Amino acid sequence: MAQERLSHAAETEVPRIEYDITRRLFLCGMAGAAAVFLSRPLQAQIAEPKKTIVTPDGIIRTTLQNYKSDTGDEFKLVLTTCPPGVGLPLHHHPTVAHNYVLEGAAESQYEGEPLMRFTTGDSYQDKAFTKHLIFRNGDHHAPLKYLFAYTVKKGQPFLIIP
């Protein structure tokens, strides 16, 4: 029996549709994780002391949720704001993180890979145990705001600078 083929137009749309489905599943997972781990109103959590850290270069990191499991793992959901043009030094991560750009443009490059640009509505993953050569706010006029979620061993940092 002859195998039916998709039209050229349909074949070119399949990767876009697959990407869109993957992105939507990822976003649903992030929303589900936030719903599961947010036991109190978000504003109440943000207002707690020691939940927000501001670096000397103006990067603001607010831990929205920090769930510690009985097995010694910590799940963290973090909202980060980077001022225009600000970036991080060379670093690596001990685990994968899932990221979602809320506002602005993030530029990221891992060793052996091209520079990638992610804008509002894009999601991407940070790689584990790979040199993160570049991560910066790719816009010199507007802040970058993104949400990221990761799991590490209790007390272990996510950003490791050599």
Side-chain angles (χ1 to χ4, degrees), residues 82-88 135-144:
C82 283
V86 171
L88 300 175
F135 182 81
R136 63 184 172 222
N137 179 346
D139 189 324
H140 292 282
H141 304 289
L144 163 65

Side-chain angles (χ1 to χ4, degrees), residues 131-150:
K131 287 183 184 175
H132 203 169
L133 304 173
I134 296 172
F135 182 81
R136 63 184 172 222
N137 179 346
D139 189 324
H140 292 282
H141 304 289
L144 163 65
K145 291 183 182 182
Y146 62 100
L147 184 65
F148 69 105
Y150 61 94

Side-chain angles (χ1 to χ4, degrees), residues 71-82:
T71 61
D73 292 331
E74 279 186 284
F75 169 83
K76 292 193 177 193
L77 183 62
V78 180
L79 173 64
T80 302
T81 302
C82 283

Side-chain angles (χ1 to χ4, degrees), residues 16-33:
R16 186 189 65 76
I17 292 168
E18 287 175 343
Y19 170 78
D20 187 56
I21 289 169
T22 301
R23 184 173 159 265
R24 287 174 189 241
L25 287 171
F26 169 76
L27 293 176
C28 288
M30 288 284 280

